[in-house]
Amino acid sequence: MKRFYFFALISIFLISGVSAQEENPIKFKLEKSSPNTYQLRLIHPDNFGVQKDAPHRILMNPGPGLKVVSADLKLKGKTSTRKKEYFETVDPMQVKLEGKGDLEIHAKIFYCDYNRNICIPGKILQKEVIQ
């Protein structure tokens, strides 16, 4: 009987660990719009919204050979029809870069899954190669 409880307890920890490591549905897409100008887009599924007044944080860490000249990383966009305190879509953010190299994007974005009715601060670490 003690073995059964031990295995049940281990199973619960394993299952909760797997579900806690779900992949973040929020991603960035960096698109080149002119020689040194890029558009940073926040991509999320249709059933998600991004919180309007949350303390979002987006940091860009350029590697050797790359320089961030300017970046407007404030979230703006269309208000959600489901919940007024969320963005339905986020407008592209303009980023100017000089040089070539690796760019790391570190972010903490507060979003809501409307289907599951939960709101989560999502941590994003994304690497881009600028050529």
Side-chain angles (χ1 to χ4, degrees), residues 22-28 41-50 80 82 86-90 109 111-116 120 124:
E22 288 181 17
E23 188 174 328
N24 190 352
I26 308 293
K27 305 274 186 242
F28 287 110
R41 298 183 184 278
L42 186 70
I43 308 296
H44 60 82
D46 289 338
N47 60 320
F48 284 77
V50 176
S80 174
R82 293 182 186 183
Y86 291 89
F87 290 121
E88 186 172 308
T89 58
V90 176
I109 305 293
Y111 65 91
C112 185
D113 181 344
Y114 298 136
N115 292 344
R116 294 171 42 193
I120 307 162
I124 303 168

Side-chain angles (χ1 to χ4, degrees), residues 81-113:
T81 55
R82 293 182 186 183
K83 292 188 177 188
K84 300 296 180 199
E85 61 272 9
Y86 291 89
F87 290 121
E88 186 172 308
T89 58
V90 176
D91 296 340
M93 297 164 273
Q94 187 168 337
V95 178
K96 289 187 180 181
L97 303 171
E98 284 183 355
K100 297 179 182 181
D102 294 336
L103 178 68
E104 283 188 358
I105 304 169
H106 298 265
K108 187 174 187 180
I109 305 293
F110 293 80
Y111 65 91
C112 185
D113 181 344

Side-chain angles (χ1 to χ4, degrees), residues 21-69:
Q21 294 178 357
E22 288 181 17
E23 188 174 328
N24 190 352
I26 308 293
K27 305 274 186 242
F28 287 110
K29 185 174 184 182
L30 191 65
E31 298 173 337
K32 193 171 196 172
S33 59
S34 67
N36 289 336
T37 306
Y38 293 82
Q39 297 290 321
L40 183 65
R41 298 183 184 278
L42 186 70
I43 308 296
H44 60 82
D46 289 338
N47 60 320
F48 284 77
V50 176
Q51 204 170 0
K52 284 175 131 179
D53 296 325
H56 303 291
R57 185 181 47 172
I58 303 172
L59 302 172
M60 300 188 124
N61 295 327
L66 186 65
K67 179 181 177 184
V68 177
V69 177

